[in-house]
Every structure is written in structure tokens, then in C-alpha cells.
Amino acid sequence: ACLLPLWLAFRPLQRGDGGFRWRVAPATARDDLRRNWRFGRWVAAGRISVNGREFGIPWLLAAFAGTAAVGFMDAAMKVVGLIFPMITALANVLTPSIAAAYAEDGVGAVRRMVARTALLMGLATGTVALGLAFGSEWVIALFFGDEFGGQHTAVVVYAVATVVEASGMPADAGLWAIERPNVGFYINLVSMVTAFAVAWALIPSLGVLGAIWGIATGKGVATTGQLACFWWLSR
């Protein structure tokens, strides 16, 4: 978002013959840079918080249980991770679609789209993710070997958490559309802190499963906050 003005500085102007010519518009670029920085810094901070939750807890697990435990955790998460390309593809369509709905028809259209796509995201990812979860032992043995088996519960917990997270993505995009990305950042920050607190409490007794529960709790907090705040702020 912050780099968008670099493109906007060279805006295309349509010619009568259907072609384009380009002109440099530094004044427009400066205005767009300021606006996009105000918006984009919150988006970037929110993504950093999400990455901190996802990639920080394995380090916590390593500190408590050793690096071998991180390998077992990663194997369990990779089973569900097979669904991530679909989630990314849906998100790449979702965000601009919600922004367009807001620009064309206002907040009411965004609310309707968020409600519809939250259900769609949950059903689409749930069908595949839960199928992967219940076939987890076979998938883990196929890709990593039998020695990584016995993690069915961890895979199921992470699969459910991933479906919950996907269901909250439309609300997160909705917060962007109504220009409240700062709210999304604070939600993700609380989610990250919660995930670390739960993982810290559970890893000593549950090991890999405790780390998975930490991440899952963080995802649940994020989705709950996104849905609640979006519906409240878009009234």
C-alpha cells in the first residue's frame, strides 16, 4: 500500500484511439504517499503481528522442548498448510472486491459481502481442512515418515483454528474498506500476546500440542475481534 504512489506518479491517460500515454504527476504522488502511508503503516503492523504469532511460538517451543519438537510441530502444521494456497487465492479476490463494494454502494454493501463471504470462506476451507485433518496420519507418513506420526489431535486443533481464521478474513478486509486498519492491528496485537501467553502456559505440560493450542487460541481471538469490531464500527 505504501509503494502504490510510485505507480500513481506515472498515471496512464487514455487516448482517443484506445491507447495510453503517460505523464509524471509528482504532486499527486506526494498526496497519495501521505494518504497511503497513514493507511499502509497499520496494515504492515498488523501483518507483522500475525507473523509474530505464527513464527514466534516455534521459537518458544524450541526454548522449552528443544528443536526436535519444532520439527514435529511443523509436520503437523504442514498437513493443514496444504489448504493455504486456496485461502491466499480467496483473500486476493476478497479484499479488492470488498473495497469495490464500499466505493460503489457504501457500508451496507460491505456488511452484506462480509456476511456472505465469511460463510463461504468457512465452508470452503472447512471442507478441505477437516478432510486433511482426519487423514492426517496418512499424510504425515507420506510426506515425513512414520516417526512423525501420532499427532492427530494437534492437526485437528490446527485445522479447526485455520477454518476459524479464514472465516474472520472478510471482516478484517471490511475494516480496511471502512478505513479502520488501526483496529485490525490492535486486534492482531492482542491475538499475538494471547497466543504467547497460552503457549507459555501449556508447552511445559503438553509440548507440541500446547504450542498448537497457543496458535489456535490466537487465531480464535483474532477472528472474534475482527467480526465484533467490524459489525460494531460499520453500523
Side-chain angles (χ1 to χ4, degrees), residues 48-67:
I48 291 171
S49 299
V50 172
N51 288 336
R53 182 189 71 204
E54 298 296 314
F55 299 113
I57 287 181
W59 286 92
L60 187 63
L61 178 63
F64 276 101
T67 55

Side-chain angles (χ1 to χ4, degrees), residues 61 73 151 153-155 157 202-203 206-214:
L61 178 63
M73 175 185 177
Q151 301 191 77
T153 301
V155 175
V157 170
L202 295 182
I203 286 175
L206 297 179
V208 170
L209 184 58
I212 295 290
W213 270 115

Side-chain angles (χ1 to χ4, degrees), residues 89-114 116-117 120-121 169-170 173-174 176-178:
L90 290 171
N92 287 339
V93 175
L94 173 67
T95 302
S97 297
I98 288 179
Y102 179 71
E104 293 172 3
D105 299 308
V107 175
V110 175
R111 287 172 64 91
R112 290 190 296 272
M113 181 171 284
V114 167
R116 185 168 60 250
T117 54
L120 174 64
M121 292 282 282
M169 289 171 61
W176 293 5
I178 63 175

Side-chain angles (χ1 to χ4, degrees), residues 116-179:
R116 185 168 60 250
T117 54
L119 179 60
L120 174 64
M121 292 282 282
L123 291 175
T125 58
T127 301
V128 181
L130 294 180
L132 288 170
F134 288 106
S136 61
E137 292 298 320
W138 179 82
V139 176
I140 287 177
L142 177 65
F143 287 103
F144 302 102
D146 293 333
E147 62 271 24
F148 285 88
Q151 301 191 77
H152 177 71
T153 301
V155 175
V156 170
V157 170
Y158 189 68
V160 172
T162 300
V163 174
V164 170
E165 181 182 44
S167 300
M169 289 171 61
D172 193 35
L175 289 171
W176 293 5
I178 63 175
E179 299 194 18

